[in-house]
Amino acid sequence: MMVFSCNITYQGEVIMGEVIMEEPMKRLYPLIDNKVIMHKYRDNFDKMIFPKHNAKLTQYCSLHRDWEDIRAVWSKNGGDEFRWQYYVMKNKKSFK
């Protein structure tokens, strides 16, 4: 996101200022796992690289207040259609 700033002097002149680059805001994004349990993670979703098949991503879940490993698997959803299934497990290094 780019924000341009302008300054107005006492004589009414508009002076174009420098370009300010803002970091995108971190937001909560929901994820429903294979057991139909809701998880909410806060991260910069625009820059995040989500895991491919069987790779793990560790995120902090704000609902469960714990670090969790997310694993995505491309598989059948019970019929003939394929979709991403998300398996969420508690991280081994969690303190709880």
Coordinates of all heavy atoms in Angstrom, one line a residue:
M1 N 0.8 -1.2 0.0 CA 0.0 0.0 0.0 C 0.9 1.2 0.0 O 1.8 1.3 0.8 CB -0.9 0.0 1.2 CG -1.7 1.2 1.3 SD -2.7 1.3 2.8 CE -4.0 0.2 2.4
M2 N 0.6 2.2 -0.8 CA 1.4 3.4 -0.9 C 0.5 4.5 -0.4 O -0.7 4.7 -0.8 CB 1.9 3.6 -2.3 CG 2.8 2.6 -2.8 SD 3.4 2.9 -4.5 CE 4.3 4.3 -4.2
V3 N 1.1 5.4 0.4 CA 0.4 6.6 0.9 C 1.2 7.8 0.5 O 2.4 7.8 0.8 CB 0.2 6.5 2.4 CG1 -0.5 7.8 2.9 CG2 -0.6 5.3 2.7
F4 N 0.6 8.8 -0.1 CA 1.3 10.0 -0.4 C 0.9 11.0 0.6 O -0.2 11.2 1.0 CB 1.0 10.5 -1.8 CG 1.4 9.6 -2.9 CD1 0.6 8.7 -3.5 CD2 2.7 9.8 -3.4 CE1 1.1 7.8 -4.5 CE2 3.2 8.9 -4.4 CZ 2.3 8.0 -5.0
S5 N 1.9 11.8 1.1 CA 1.6 12.8 2.1 C 1.9 14.2 1.4 O 2.7 14.4 0.6 CB 2.5 12.6 3.3 OG 3.8 12.8 3.0
C6 N 1.1 15.1 1.8 CA 1.2 16.5 1.3 C 1.2 17.4 2.5 O 0.6 17.2 3.5 CB 0.0 16.9 0.5 SG -0.2 15.9 -1.0
N7 N 2.0 18.5 2.4 CA 2.1 19.5 3.4 C 1.6 20.8 2.8 O 1.9 21.2 1.7 CB 3.5 19.7 3.9 CG 4.0 18.5 4.6 OD1 3.3 17.8 5.2 ND2 5.3 18.2 4.5
I8 N 0.8 21.6 3.5 CA 0.3 22.9 3.1 C 1.0 23.9 3.9 O 0.9 23.9 5.2 CB -1.3 22.9 3.3 CG1 -1.9 21.9 2.4 CG2 -1.8 24.3 2.9 CD1 -3.4 21.8 2.6
T9 N 1.6 24.9 3.2 CA 2.3 25.9 3.9 C 1.3 27.0 4.3 O 0.1 27.0 3.9 CB 3.4 26.5 3.0 OG1 2.8 27.1 1.9 CG2 4.4 25.5 2.7
Y10 N 1.8 28.0 5.0 CA 0.9 29.1 5.4 C 0.4 30.0 4.3 O -0.6 30.6 4.3 CB 1.6 30.1 6.4 CG 1.8 29.4 7.7 CD1 3.1 29.0 8.2 CD2 0.8 29.1 8.6 CE1 3.3 28.4 9.4 CE2 1.0 28.5 9.8 CZ 2.2 28.1 10.2 OH 2.4 27.5 11.4
Q11 N 1.1 29.9 3.1 CA 0.7 30.7 1.9 C -0.3 29.9 1.1 O -0.8 30.3 0.1 CB 1.9 31.1 1.1 CG 2.8 32.1 1.7 CD 3.8 31.5 2.6 OE1 4.0 30.3 2.6 NE2 4.4 32.3 3.5
G12 N -0.6 28.6 1.5 CA -1.6 27.8 0.8 C -1.0 27.0 -0.3 O -1.7 26.4 -1.1
E13 N 0.4 26.9 -0.3 CA 1.1 26.1 -1.3 C 1.0 24.6 -0.9 O 1.1 24.3 0.3 CB 2.5 26.5 -1.5 CG 2.7 27.9 -1.9 CD 4.2 28.3 -1.9 OE1 5.0 27.5 -1.5 OE2 4.4 29.4 -2.2
V14 N 0.8 23.7 -1.8 CA 0.9 22.3 -1.5 C 2.2 21.8 -1.9 O 2.7 21.9 -3.0 CB -0.3 21.6 -2.3 CG1 -0.2 20.1 -2.1 CG2 -1.6 22.1 -1.9
I15 N 2.9 21.2 -0.9 CA 4.2 20.6 -1.2 C 4.1 19.1 -1.1 O 3.6 18.5 -0.1 CB 5.2 21.1 -0.1 CG1 5.3 22.6 -0.2 CG2 6.6 20.4 -0.3 CD1 6.1 23.2 0.9
M16 N 4.4 18.4 -2.2 CA 4.3 17.0 -2.2 C 5.5 16.4 -1.3 O 6.6 16.7 -1.5 CB 4.5 16.4 -3.6 CG 3.3 16.8 -4.5 SD 1.7 16.2 -3.9 CE 1.8 14.5 -4.1
G17 N 5.1 15.5 -0.4 CA 6.1 15.0 0.5 C 6.6 13.6 0.0 O 6.4 13.3 -1.2
E18 N 7.3 12.9 0.8 CA 7.9 11.6 0.4 C 6.8 10.6 0.4 O 5.7 10.7 0.9 CB 9.0 11.2 1.4 CG 8.5 10.9 2.8 CD 8.3 12.0 3.7 OE1 8.6 13.2 3.3 OE2 7.8 11.8 4.8
V19 N 7.1 9.5 -0.3 CA 6.2 8.4 -0.4 C 6.4 7.5 0.8 O 7.6 7.2 1.2 CB 6.5 7.5 -1.7 CG1 5.6 6.3 -1.7 CG2 6.3 8.4 -2.9
I20 N 5.3 7.2 1.5 CA 5.4 6.4 2.8 C 4.9 5.0 2.4 O 3.8 4.8 2.0 CB 4.6 7.0 3.9 CG1 5.1 8.5 4.2 CG2 4.6 6.2 5.1 CD1 4.1 9.2 5.1
M21 N 5.8 4.0 2.7 CA 5.4 2.6 2.4 C 4.9 2.1 3.8 O 5.6 2.1 4.8 CB 6.5 1.8 1.9 CG 7.1 2.2 0.6 SD 5.9 2.0 -0.7 CE 5.9 0.3 -0.9
E22 N 3.6 1.6 3.8 CA 3.1 1.0 5.0 C 3.1 -0.5 4.9 O 2.8 -1.1 3.9 CB 1.6 1.5 5.2 CG 1.5 3.0 5.6 CD 0.1 3.3 5.9 OE1 -0.7 2.4 6.0 OE2 -0.1 4.5 6.1
E23 N 3.3 -1.1 6.0 CA 3.3 -2.5 6.1 C 1.8 -3.0 6.2 O 1.0 -2.4 6.9 CB 4.0 -3.0 7.4 CG 4.2 -4.5 7.6 CD 5.2 -5.0 6.6 OE1 6.1 -4.3 6.1 OE2 5.1 -6.2 6.3
P24 N 1.4 -4.0 5.4 CA 0.0 -4.4 5.5 C -0.3 -4.9 6.9 O 0.5 -5.4 7.6 CB 0.0 -5.6 4.5 CG 1.1 -5.4 3.6 CD 2.2 -4.7 4.4
M25 N -1.5 -4.6 7.3 CA -2.0 -5.0 8.7 C -2.1 -6.5 8.8 O -2.5 -7.2 8.0 CB -3.3 -4.3 8.9 CG -3.6 -4.1 10.4 SD -5.0 -3.1 10.6 CE -6.3 -4.3 10.5
K26 N -1.7 -6.9 10.0 CA -1.8 -8.3 10.3 C -3.3 -8.6 10.7 O -3.8 -7.8 11.5 CB -0.9 -8.8 11.4 CG 0.6 -8.8 11.0 CD 1.4 -9.3 12.1 CE 2.8 -9.4 11.6 NZ 3.7 -10.1 12.6
R27 N -3.9 -9.6 10.2 CA -5.3 -9.9 10.4 C -5.5 -11.3 10.9 O -4.6 -12.2 10.7 CB -6.1 -9.7 9.1 CG -6.0 -8.3 8.6 CD -6.9 -8.1 7.4 NE -6.8 -6.7 7.0 CZ -6.8 -6.3 5.8 NH1 -6.9 -7.2 4.8 NH2 -6.8 -5.1 5.5
L28 N -6.6 -11.6 11.5 CA -7.0 -12.9 11.9 C -7.6 -13.6 10.7 O -8.4 -13.1 10.0 CB -8.0 -12.9 13.0 CG -7.5 -12.6 14.4 CD1 -8.6 -12.5 15.4 CD2 -6.5 -13.7 14.9
Y29 N -7.1 -14.8 10.4 CA -7.7 -15.6 9.4 C -8.1 -17.0 9.9 O -7.4 -17.6 10.7 CB -6.9 -15.8 8.1 CG -5.6 -16.5 8.4 CD1 -5.5 -17.9 8.2 CD2 -4.4 -15.8 8.8 CE1 -4.3 -18.5 8.4 CE2 -3.2 -16.5 9.0 CZ -3.2 -17.8 8.8 OH -2.0 -18.5 9.0
P30 N -9.4 -17.4 9.6 CA -9.9 -18.7 10.2 C -9.4 -19.8 9.3 O -9.1 -19.7 8.1 CB -11.4 -18.5 10.1 CG -11.6 -17.6 8.9 CD -10.4 -16.7 8.9
L31 N -9.3 -21.0 10.0 CA -9.0 -22.2 9.3 C -9.8 -23.3 10.0 O -9.8 -23.4 11.2 CB -7.5 -22.6 9.4 CG -7.1 -23.8 8.7 CD1 -6.6 -23.5 7.3 CD2 -6.0 -24.6 9.5
I32 N -10.5 -24.1 9.2 CA -11.2 -25.3 9.7 C -10.5 -26.5 9.3 O -10.2 -26.8 8.1 CB -12.7 -25.3 9.1 CG1 -13.4 -24.0 9.5 CG2 -13.4 -26.5 9.6 CD1 -14.8 -23.9 9.0
D33 N -10.1 -27.3 10.3 CA -9.3 -28.5 10.0 C -10.2 -29.7 9.6 O -11.4 -29.6 9.5 CB -8.4 -28.9 11.2 CG -9.2 -29.3 12.4 OD1 -10.4 -29.4 12.4 OD2 -8.5 -29.5 13.5
N34 N -9.5 -30.9 9.5 CA -10.2 -32.1 9.0 C -11.3 -32.6 10.0 O -12.2 -33.4 9.7 CB -9.2 -33.2 8.7 CG -8.4 -33.6 9.9 OD1 -8.0 -32.8 10.7 ND2 -8.2 -34.9 10.0
K35 N -11.2 -32.2 11.3 CA -12.1 -32.6 12.3 C -13.2 -31.5 12.5 O -13.9 -31.6 13.5 CB -11.4 -32.8 13.6 CG -10.4 -34.0 13.5 CD -9.6 -34.1 14.8 CE -8.5 -35.1 14.7 NZ -7.6 -35.1 15.8
V36 N -13.3 -30.6 11.6 CA -14.3 -29.5 11.6 C -14.1 -28.7 12.9 O -15.1 -28.3 13.6 CB -15.7 -30.0 11.4 CG1 -16.6 -28.8 11.1 CG2 -15.8 -31.0 10.3
I37 N -12.9 -28.4 13.3 CA -12.6 -27.5 14.4 C -12.0 -26.2 13.9 O -11.2 -26.2 13.0 CB -11.6 -28.2 15.4 CG1 -12.2 -29.5 16.0 CG2 -11.2 -27.2 16.5 CD1 -11.2 -30.3 16.8
M38 N -12.6 -25.1 14.4 CA -12.1 -23.8 14.0 C -10.8 -23.4 14.7 O -10.7 -23.5 15.9 CB -13.2 -22.7 14.3 CG -12.8 -21.3 14.0 SD -12.8 -20.9 12.3 CE -14.5 -20.7 12.0
H39 N -9.9 -22.8 13.9 CA -8.7 -22.2 14.4 C -8.6 -20.8 13.9 O -9.0 -20.6 12.7 CB -7.5 -23.1 14.0 CG -7.5 -24.5 14.3 ND1 -7.0 -25.0 15.5 CD2 -8.1 -25.6 13.7 CE1 -7.2 -26.3 15.6 NE2 -7.9 -26.7 14.5
K40 N -8.0 -19.9 14.6 CA -7.8 -18.6 14.1 C -6.3 -18.2 14.3 O -5.8 -18.3 15.4 CB -8.7 -17.6 14.9 CG -10.1 -17.7 14.4 CD -10.9 -16.5 14.9 CE -12.3 -16.7 14.4 NZ -13.2 -15.6 14.9
Y41 N -5.7 -17.7 13.2 CA -4.3 -17.4 13.2 C -4.1 -15.9 12.8 O -4.9 -15.4 12.0 CB -3.5 -18.3 12.3 CG -3.7 -19.7 12.6 CD1 -4.5 -20.5 11.8 CD2 -3.0 -20.3 13.6 CE1 -4.6 -21.9 12.0 CE2 -3.2 -21.7 13.9 CZ -4.0 -22.4 13.1 OH -4.2 -23.8 13.4
R42 N -3.2 -15.2 13.4 CA -2.9 -13.8 13.1 C -1.6 -13.8 12.4 O -0.6 -14.1 12.9 CB -2.9 -13.0 14.4 CG -2.6 -11.5 14.1 CD -2.5 -10.7 15.3 NE -3.7 -10.8 16.2 CZ -4.8 -10.1 16.1 NH1 -4.8 -9.1 15.2 NH2 -5.8 -10.2 16.9
D43 N -1.6 -13.3 11.2 CA -0.4 -13.2 10.4 C -0.6 -12.3 9.2 O -1.8 -11.9 8.9 CB 0.1 -14.5 9.9 CG 1.6 -14.6 9.7 OD1 2.2 -13.5 9.6 OD2 2.1 -15.7 9.6
N44 N 0.4 -11.9 8.6 CA 0.3 -11.1 7.3 C 0.1 -12.1 6.2 O 1.0 -12.7 5.7 CB 1.7 -10.4 7.1 CG 1.6 -9.4 6.0 OD1 0.6 -9.4 5.2 ND2 2.6 -8.6 5.8
F45 N -1.2 -12.3 5.9 CA -1.6 -13.3 4.9 C -1.1 -13.1 3.5 O -0.9 -14.0 2.7 CB -3.1 -13.4 4.9 CG -3.6 -14.7 4.4 CD1 -3.5 -15.9 5.1 CD2 -4.3 -14.8 3.2 CE1 -3.9 -17.1 4.6 CE2 -4.7 -16.0 2.6 CZ -4.6 -17.1 3.4
D46 N -0.9 -11.8 3.2 CA -0.4 -11.4 1.9 C 1.0 -12.0 1.6 O 1.4 -12.4 0.5 CB -0.4 -9.9 1.7 CG -1.8 -9.3 1.8 OD1 -2.7 -10.1 1.5 OD2 -1.9 -8.1 2.1
K47 N 1.9 -12.0 2.6 CA 3.3 -12.4 2.5 C 3.5 -13.9 2.9 O 4.6 -14.4 2.8 CB 4.2 -11.5 3.3 CG 4.2 -10.1 2.7 CD 5.2 -9.3 3.5 CE 5.2 -7.9 2.9 NZ 6.2 -7.0 3.6
M48 N 2.5 -14.5 3.5 CA 2.7 -15.9 4.0 C 2.7 -16.9 2.9 O 1.9 -16.8 2.0 CB 1.6 -16.2 5.0 CG 1.8 -17.5 5.8 SD 0.5 -17.8 7.0 CE -0.8 -18.2 6.0
I49 N 3.6 -17.9 3.0 CA 3.7 -19.0 2.1 C 3.0 -20.1 2.8 O 3.5 -20.7 3.7 CB 5.1 -19.3 1.7 CG1 5.7 -18.1 1.0 CG2 5.1 -20.5 0.8 CD1 7.2 -18.2 0.8
F50 N 1.8 -20.5 2.2 CA 1.1 -21.6 2.9 C 1.7 -22.9 2.5 O 2.2 -23.1 1.4 CB -0.4 -21.5 2.5 CG -1.3 -21.9 3.6 CD1 -1.5 -21.1 4.7 CD2 -2.0 -23.1 3.6 CE1 -2.3 -21.4 5.7 CE2 -2.8 -23.5 4.6 CZ -3.0 -22.6 5.7
P51 N 1.7 -24.0 3.3 CA 2.4 -25.2 3.0 C 1.7 -25.9 1.8 O 0.5 -25.9 1.6 CB 2.2 -26.0 4.3 CG 1.0 -25.5 5.0 CD 1.0 -24.0 4.6
K52 N 2.6 -26.6 1.1 CA 2.2 -27.4 0.0 C 1.9 -28.8 0.6 O 2.0 -29.0 1.8 CB 3.2 -27.5 -1.1 CG 3.6 -26.1 -1.7 CD 3.0 -26.0 -3.0 CE 3.6 -24.7 -3.6 NZ 2.7 -23.9 -4.2
H53 N 1.8 -29.8 -0.3 CA 1.4 -31.2 0.2 C 2.4 -31.7 1.2 O 3.6 -31.8 1.0 CB 1.4 -32.1 -1.1 CG 0.8 -33.4 -0.8 ND1 -0.5 -33.6 -0.6 CD2 1.4 -34.6 -0.7 CE1 -0.8 -34.9 -0.4 NE2 0.4 -35.5 -0.4
N54 N 1.9 -32.0 2.4 CA 2.6 -32.6 3.5 C 3.7 -31.8 4.2 O 4.4 -32.2 5.0 CB 3.2 -34.0 3.1 CG 2.2 -35.1 3.2 OD1 1.2 -35.0 3.9 ND2 2.4 -36.1 2.3
A55 N 3.8 -30.5 3.7 CA 4.8 -29.6 4.4 C 4.1 -29.0 5.6 O 2.8 -28.9 5.7 CB 5.2 -28.5 3.5
K56 N 4.8 -28.6 6.7 CA 4.3 -28.1 7.9 C 4.5 -26.6 8.0 O 5.5 -26.1 7.5 CB 4.9 -28.7 9.1 CG 4.5 -30.1 9.4 CD 5.1 -30.6 10.7 CE 5.0 -32.0 10.9 NZ 5.7 -32.5 12.1
L57 N 3.5 -25.9 8.6 CA 3.6 -24.5 8.9 C 3.2 -24.4 10.3 O 2.2 -24.9 10.7 CB 2.7 -23.7 8.0 CG 2.5 -22.2 8.3 CD1 3.8 -21.5 8.0 CD2 1.4 -21.6 7.5
T58 N 4.0 -23.7 11.1 CA 3.7 -23.5 12.6 C 3.2 -22.1 12.8 O 3.8 -21.1 12.4 CB 5.0 -23.7 13.4 OG1 5.5 -25.1 13.2 CG2 4.7 -23.6 14.9
Q59 N 2.0 -22.0 13.4 CA 1.3 -20.7 13.6 C 0.8 -20.7 15.1 O 0.5 -21.8 15.6 CB 0.2 -20.5 12.7 CG 0.6 -20.2 11.3 CD 1.2 -18.9 11.1 OE1 0.6 -17.9 11.6 NE2 2.3 -18.8 10.4
Y60 N 0.6 -19.5 15.6 CA 0.0 -19.4 17.0 C -1.5 -19.3 16.8 O -2.0 -18.4 16.1 CB 0.6 -18.2 17.7 CG 0.0 -18.1 19.1 CD1 0.6 -18.9 20.1 CD2 -1.0 -17.2 19.4 CE1 0.1 -18.8 21.4 CE2 -1.5 -17.1 20.7 CZ -0.9 -17.9 21.7 OH -1.4 -17.8 23.0
C61 N -2.3 -20.2 17.4 CA -3.7 -20.1 17.3 C -4.3 -19.3 18.5 O -4.0 -19.5 19.7 CB -4.3 -21.6 17.5 SG -6.1 -21.6 17.4
S62 N -5.0 -18.2 18.1 CA -5.5 -17.3 19.1 C -6.7 -17.9 19.9 O -7.0 -17.5 21.0 CB -5.9 -16.0 18.5 OG -6.9 -16.1 17.6
L63 N -7.4 -18.9 19.3 CA -8.5 -19.5 20.0 C -8.0 -20.5 21.1 O -8.6 -20.5 22.2 CB -9.4 -20.2 19.0 CG -10.3 -19.4 18.1 CD1 -11.2 -20.3 17.2 CD2 -11.3 -18.5 19.0
H64 N -7.1 -21.3 20.7 CA -6.6 -22.3 21.6 C -5.4 -21.8 22.4 O -4.9 -22.5 23.3 CB -6.2 -23.6 20.8 CG -7.3 -24.1 20.1 ND1 -7.4 -24.2 18.7 CD2 -8.5 -24.6 20.5 CE1 -8.5 -24.7 18.3 NE2 -9.3 -25.0 19.4
R65 N -4.9 -20.7 22.1 CA -3.7 -20.1 22.8 C -2.5 -21.0 22.9 O -2.0 -21.2 23.9 CB -4.1 -19.6 24.2 CG -5.1 -18.5 24.1 CD -5.5 -17.9 25.4 NE -6.5 -16.9 25.3 CZ -7.1 -16.4 26.3 NH1 -6.9 -16.8 27.5 NH2 -8.0 -15.4 26.0
D66 N -2.2 -21.5 21.7 CA -1.1 -22.5 21.7 C -0.5 -22.5 20.2 O -1.1 -22.1 19.3 CB -1.6 -23.9 22.0 CG -0.6 -24.7 22.7 OD1 0.6 -24.3 22.8 OD2 -1.0 -25.8 23.3
W67 N 0.8 -23.0 20.1 CA 1.4 -23.1 18.8 C 0.9 -24.4 18.2 O 0.9 -25.4 18.9 CB 2.9 -23.1 19.0 CG 3.4 -21.8 19.4 CD1 3.7 -21.3 20.6 CD2 3.7 -20.7 18.5 NE1 4.1 -20.0 20.5 CE2 4.2 -19.6 19.3 CE3 3.6 -20.5 17.1 CZ2 4.5 -18.4 18.7 CZ3 4.0 -19.3 16.5 CH2 4.4 -18.2 17.3
E68 N 0.6 -24.3 16.9 CA 0.1 -25.5 16.2 C 0.8 -25.7 14.9 O 1.2 -24.7 14.2 CB -1.4 -25.3 16.0 CG -2.3 -25.2 17.2 CD -3.7 -25.0 17.0 OE1 -4.1 -24.5 15.9 OE2 -4.5 -25.3 18.0
D69 N 0.9 -26.9 14.5 CA 1.5 -27.3 13.2 C 0.3 -27.5 12.2 O -0.6 -28.3 12.5 CB 2.3 -28.5 13.3 CG 3.6 -28.3 14.1 OD1 4.1 -27.2 14.1 OD2 4.0 -29.3 14.7
I70 N 0.4 -26.9 11.0 CA -0.7 -27.0 10.0 C 0.0 -27.8 8.9 O 1.0 -27.5 8.4 CB -1.1 -25.7 9.5 CG1 -1.6 -24.8 10.7 CG2 -2.2 -25.8 8.5 CD1 -1.8 -23.3 10.3
R71 N -0.7 -28.9 8.4 CA -0.3 -29.7 7.3 C -1.4 -29.7 6.3 O -2.5 -30.1 6.7 CB 0.1 -31.1 7.8 CG 0.8 -31.9 6.7 CD 1.3 -33.2 7.3 NE 0.4 -33.9 8.1 CZ -0.3 -35.0 7.7 NH1 -0.1 -35.5 6.5 NH2 -1.2 -35.6 8.5
A72 N -1.1 -29.4 5.1 CA -2.1 -29.4 4.0 C -1.9 -30.7 3.1 O -0.8 -31.0 2.7 CB -2.0 -28.2 3.2
V73 N -3.0 -31.4 2.9 CA -3.0 -32.6 2.0 C -4.1 -32.5 1.0 O -5.2 -32.2 1.3 CB -3.2 -33.9 2.9 CG1 -3.2 -35.1 2.0 CG2 -2.1 -34.0 3.9
W74 N -3.7 -32.7 -0.3 CA -4.7 -32.7 -1.4 C -5.3 -34.1 -1.5 O -4.6 -35.0 -1.8 CB -4.0 -32.3 -2.7 CG -4.8 -32.2 -3.9 CD1 -4.9 -33.0 -4.9 CD2 -5.7 -31.1 -4.2 NE1 -5.8 -32.6 -5.9 CE2 -6.3 -31.4 -5.4 CE3 -6.1 -29.9 -3.5 CZ2 -7.3 -30.6 -6.0 CZ3 -7.0 -29.1 -4.1 CH2 -7.6 -29.4 -5.3
S75 N -6.6 -34.2 -1.2 CA -7.2 -35.5 -1.2 C -8.7 -35.4 -1.5 O -9.2 -34.3 -1.6 CB -7.0 -36.2 0.2 OG -7.7 -35.4 1.2
K76 N -9.3 -36.6 -1.7 CA -10.7 -36.6 -2.0 C -11.5 -36.2 -0.7 O -11.1 -36.6 0.4 CB -11.2 -38.0 -2.5 CG -10.7 -38.3 -3.9 CD -11.4 -39.6 -4.3 CE -11.0 -39.8 -5.8 NZ -11.7 -41.0 -6.3
N77 N -12.6 -35.6 -1.0 CA -13.5 -35.1 0.2 C -14.6 -36.1 0.4 O -15.7 -35.7 0.8 CB -14.0 -33.7 0.0 CG -14.9 -33.6 -1.2 OD1 -14.9 -34.5 -2.1 ND2 -15.5 -32.4 -1.3
G78 N -14.5 -37.4 0.1 CA -15.6 -38.3 0.4 C -16.3 -38.7 -0.9 O -16.9 -39.8 -1.0
G79 N -16.2 -37.9 -1.9 CA -16.9 -38.1 -3.2 C -15.8 -38.2 -4.3 O -14.7 -38.8 -4.1
D80 N -16.2 -37.7 -5.4 CA -15.2 -37.7 -6.6 C -14.4 -36.4 -6.6 O -13.6 -36.2 -7.5 CB -16.0 -37.9 -7.9 CG -16.5 -39.3 -8.0 OD1 -16.0 -40.2 -7.3 OD2 -17.5 -39.5 -8.7
E81 N -14.7 -35.4 -5.8 CA -14.0 -34.1 -5.8 C -12.8 -34.1 -4.9 O -12.8 -34.7 -3.8 CB -15.0 -33.0 -5.4 CG -16.2 -32.9 -6.4 CD -17.1 -31.8 -5.9 OE1 -16.8 -31.0 -5.0 OE2 -18.2 -31.7 -6.5
F82 N -11.8 -33.4 -5.4 CA -10.6 -33.2 -4.6 C -10.6 -31.8 -4.0 O -11.2 -30.9 -4.5 CB -9.3 -33.4 -5.5 CG -9.0 -34.8 -5.8 CD1 -9.6 -35.4 -6.9 CD2 -8.1 -35.5 -5.0 CE1 -9.3 -36.7 -7.2 CE2 -7.8 -36.8 -5.3 CZ -8.4 -37.4 -6.4
R83 N -10.0 -31.7 -2.8 CA -9.8 -30.4 -2.1 C -8.7 -30.5 -1.1 O -8.2 -31.6 -0.8 CB -11.1 -30.0 -1.5 CG -11.5 -30.8 -0.2 CD -12.8 -30.3 0.4 NE -13.0 -31.0 1.6 CZ -13.0 -30.4 2.8 NH1 -12.9 -29.1 2.9 NH2 -13.3 -31.1 3.9
W84 N -8.3 -29.4 -0.6 CA -7.2 -29.3 0.4 C -7.9 -29.7 1.8 O -8.9 -29.2 2.2 CB -6.6 -27.9 0.6 CG -5.7 -27.6 -0.6 CD1 -5.9 -26.8 -1.6 CD2 -4.4 -28.1 -0.8 NE1 -4.9 -26.7 -2.4 CE2 -3.9 -27.6 -2.0 CE3 -3.6 -29.0 -0.1 CZ2 -2.6 -27.9 -2.5 CZ3 -2.3 -29.3 -0.6 CH2 -1.9 -28.7 -1.8
Q85 N -7.2 -30.7 2.5 CA -7.6 -31.1 3.8 C -6.5 -30.5 4.7 O -5.3 -30.7 4.4 CB -7.7 -32.6 4.0 CG -8.7 -33.2 3.1 CD -10.0 -33.3 3.8 OE1 -10.2 -33.1 5.0 NE2 -11.1 -33.6 3.0
Y86 N -6.9 -29.9 5.8 CA -5.9 -29.3 6.7 C -5.9 -30.1 8.0 O -6.9 -30.2 8.7 CB -6.2 -27.8 7.0 CG -6.2 -27.0 5.8 CD1 -7.3 -26.6 5.1 CD2 -4.9 -26.6 5.2 CE1 -7.3 -25.9 3.9 CE2 -4.9 -25.9 4.1 CZ -6.0 -25.5 3.4 OH -6.0 -24.7 2.3
Y87 N -4.7 -30.6 8.4 CA -4.5 -31.3 9.6 C -3.8 -30.4 10.6 O -2.7 -30.0 10.2 CB -3.7 -32.6 9.3 CG -4.5 -33.6 8.5 CD1 -4.4 -33.5 7.1 CD2 -5.4 -34.5 9.0 CE1 -5.1 -34.4 6.3 CE2 -6.1 -35.4 8.2 CZ -5.9 -35.3 6.8 OH -6.6 -36.2 6.0
V88 N -4.3 -30.2 11.7 CA -3.8 -29.3 12.7 C -3.4 -30.1 14.0 O -4.2 -30.8 14.5 CB -4.7 -28.2 13.1 CG1 -4.1 -27.2 14.1 CG2 -5.1 -27.4 11.8
M89 N -2.1 -30.0 14.4 CA -1.7 -30.7 15.6 C -0.9 -29.7 16.5 O -0.3 -28.8 16.0 CB -0.7 -31.8 15.2 CG -1.4 -33.0 14.4 SD -0.2 -34.0 13.6 CE 0.3 -33.0 12.2
K90 N -1.0 -30.0 17.7 CA -0.2 -29.1 18.7 C 1.3 -29.3 18.4 O 1.7 -30.4 18.3 CB -0.6 -29.5 20.1 CG 0.0 -28.7 21.2 CD -0.5 -29.1 22.5 CE 0.2 -28.4 23.6 NZ -0.3 -28.8 24.9
N91 N 2.0 -28.2 18.4 CA 3.4 -28.2 18.2 C 4.1 -28.9 19.4 O 3.7 -28.7 20.6 CB 3.9 -26.8 18.0 CG 5.4 -26.8 17.6 OD1 6.2 -27.1 18.4 ND2 5.6 -26.4 16.4
K92 N 5.2 -29.6 19.1 CA 5.9 -30.3 20.2 C 6.6 -29.4 21.2 O 6.7 -29.7 22.3 CB 7.0 -31.2 19.6 CG 6.5 -32.3 18.8 CD 7.7 -33.1 18.2 CE 7.3 -34.0 17.1 NZ 8.5 -34.6 16.5
K93 N 6.9 -28.2 20.7 CA 7.6 -27.2 21.6 C 6.7 -26.3 22.3 O 7.2 -25.4 23.0 CB 8.6 -26.4 20.7 CG 9.7 -27.3 20.1 CD 10.6 -26.4 19.2 CE 11.6 -27.3 18.6 NZ 12.6 -26.6 17.8
S94 N 5.4 -26.6 22.3 CA 4.5 -25.8 23.1 C 4.7 -26.0 24.6 O 5.1 -27.1 25.0 CB 3.1 -26.1 22.8 OG 2.8 -25.8 21.4
F95 N 4.5 -25.0 25.4 CA 4.8 -25.1 26.8 C 3.7 -25.6 27.6 O 3.8 -25.8 28.8 CB 5.3 -23.7 27.3 CG 6.5 -23.3 26.7 CD1 6.5 -22.3 25.7 CD2 7.7 -23.8 27.1 CE1 7.7 -21.9 25.1 CE2 8.9 -23.4 26.5 CZ 8.9 -22.4 25.5
K96 N 2.5 -25.8 27.0 CA 1.4 -26.3 27.8 C 1.3 -27.8 27.8 O 1.7 -28.5 27.0 CB 0.1 -25.7 27.2 CG 0.0 -24.2 27.4 CD -1.4 -23.8 26.9 CE -1.5 -22.3 27.1 NZ -2.7 -21.8 26.6

